[in-house]
Amino acid sequence: MFATRPEFRPATVEVLVDGQPLSVPEGASAAAALLLAGLAASRETPVSGAPRLPYCMMGVCFDCLAEIDGVANRQACMVTVRPGMRIAPQCGARLAGTAA
Amino acid sequence: MKEFDLAIVGAGPAGMSAALEAAGLGLSVLVLDEQPAPGGQIFRGVERAAGDPALAGEYAVAGALLARRFRAMPNIDYRPETTVWHIDAEAGLLSLRGPRGGGMARAARILLATGAQERPVPVPGWTLPGVMSAGAAQIMLKQAGAVPEGRLVLAGQGPLMWLLAAQLARAGKPPALLLETTPRGALRRALARGGLWRGRAMLAKGAALLWEARRSGMKVVSGVRGLRAEGEGRVRRVAWEGGATECGVLLLHEGVIPSTHVSRALGLEHEWDEAQLCWRPVLDGWGASSAPRIAIAGDGGGIGGWQAAVEAGALAALDAAHRAGRLDAAARDRRAAPHRAALGAALALRPFLDALHAPSPAVLAPPEDATLVCRCEEVTAGQVRQAARLGATGPNQVKAYLRAGMGPCQGRMCGATVAALVAETRGIPVREAGVLRPRAPYKPITVGELADLPEEEPA
Ligand code: FES
């Protein structure tokens, strides 16, 4: 859905998005990695199972909720990528352990 | 626990400016920000991205300079990647979650510099993958140098649209089409507000962007109504009254509104701003709120743009120094004078812009019942209207009836729309429908994070 411009921002941080290696620029968020990976959806809504991708990128909409390094329901647009970070889409019902 | 003279939430223009002024006057300053680097939304990632030619201009010059001064200033305890999830306004206690876990801090005075969020644009299909806010695409450019793929359509209005169109054109990805929703007749109404001469520099800047975007080949359709995104599983088409076109990515924008989540959760007094069509906290000339310890500066107190935010931040810092006994009232007022003058100049064009880009009633309260209003709990406009007919008098009751506002975003996206729908259905002004009162935690935290909250450790 988005493409980097490596001439200006080289993609130097390797992360795993849905198990696939992907290099993204330093300073990018995990939500940016989800968009750069070209996934059809990064989350399904708990109510109807509708597909979603990050919408606002600034911490407002919570459509970027994803599993990051094994922790579910992280707001991916507020998490900066680190080398080796595992970012996975999350589907279905709200998971336990989260105060919403 | 460390005690500060001033704790600032947010490291955007207002927060950085306040920190610089306060630290310069000898106050101990704590700055808490969710981002990994200073800049806020407008100057997001400026330290890394200022060299990108697509972002040349104010961002690269003024933004980079402000961030550099902020970094260089001693006596500022700056904590990036730190979320404030609760504030005890009476005790001056802030509950934090940082990269190394939870923590607490105490401050004599707390300045909320939490900025703005984009106004929700609830059109049919706005939840489809491929539909995003315009600000989101700009953040992709700032934080990753990335541009949208496929046929790009912008829909909505406001200065950010033209800026983004120009930036994307420079980045080699000019939008194919801008569907401009500014209603016919808005310009005439806006011109009547005046301020054009005082705001001429800003106006010239806007005109240059407009010209740059059009020169890139972007087509513009104006007076667009009845916008909708269509597609199965992702957006494929955008349609409006009298037209439709293919699209790969659709970016929506109807201006920005103060981000009042924390100020509302704190129970501060808010008022409905008839000119900007949004809620704003009630503040005095120094940014002081209705709570004794809490001040607000920048777009979080009413939309004014980054230059106004810089000045409001400085004014709030001067007042904090006065309250801490570092400046008498006369010295505070003397130092404030140039900031007040600059604030006036920065706001000169605002009435014109507010009138020109006032969102249409259909943006505030989507006419089609099937349109999703609450993205989290998937509540439609029709359901909210039904709840209002059954007796819900405002967004807090609608939340109880329908869960709208109870999902992870806690009403950040739907609160304004729900209030407008209730007002429309009950035939009352929006101010009477009232404002959603969120609760702490301001951001979801896990029970585990709550449990291992240390007493004294900094986050
Ligand atoms: S994309 Fe909206 S909160 Fe992350």
Side-chain angles (χ1 to χ4, degrees), chain A residues 1-5 8-9 25-29 32 35-36 40-41 43 45-63 65 75 77-78 80 82 94 97-100, chain B residues 34-36 41 44 48-49 52-54 81 117-118 126-127 129-133 136 139-149 171 234 252 372 375 377-378 408-409 412-413 443-447:
Chain A
M1 176 141 306
F2 277 79
T4 54
R5 291 151 57 244
F8 302 107
R9 296 293 296 276
E26 229 177 300
S29 65
L35 291 166
L36 289 166
R43 157 178 118 86
T45 58
V47 181
S48 76
R52 296 278 172 87
L53 280 173
Y55 176 81
C56 76
M57 297 296 284
M58 58 175 91
V60 178
C61 72
F62 286 69
D63 262 325
L65 291 180
Q75 207 179 6
C77 71
M78 306 306 279
T80 309
R82 313 231 189 271
R94 231 171 254 107
T98 301
Chain B
E34 281 194 298
Q35 294 303 317
Q41 300 305 345
R44 172 82 88 112
R48 275 186 216 283
D52 186 336
E81 293 186 279
Q117 67 171 73
E118 289 178 276
W126 71 310
T127 52
V131 183
M132 298 175 80
S133 74
I139 288 169
M140 284 299 285
L141 188 61
K142 289 171 180 171
Q143 68 164 227
V147 294
E149 291 179 303
R234 61 155 302 143
L252 302 172
L372 276 188
R375 299 173 64 98
E377 299 291 330
E378 303 188 273
C409 96
R412 286 172 172 87
M413 284 302 277
K443 285 278 174 98
I445 54 165
T446 64
V447 177

Side-chain angles (χ1 to χ4, degrees), chain B residues 241-264:
Chain B
E241 274 175 31
T245 187
E246 306 270 291
C247 89
V249 172
L250 173 64
L251 301 177
L252 302 172
H253 183 73
E254 285 282 350
V256 296
I257 57 176
S259 162
T260 53
H261 192 78
V262 176
S263 56
R264 280 182 286 120

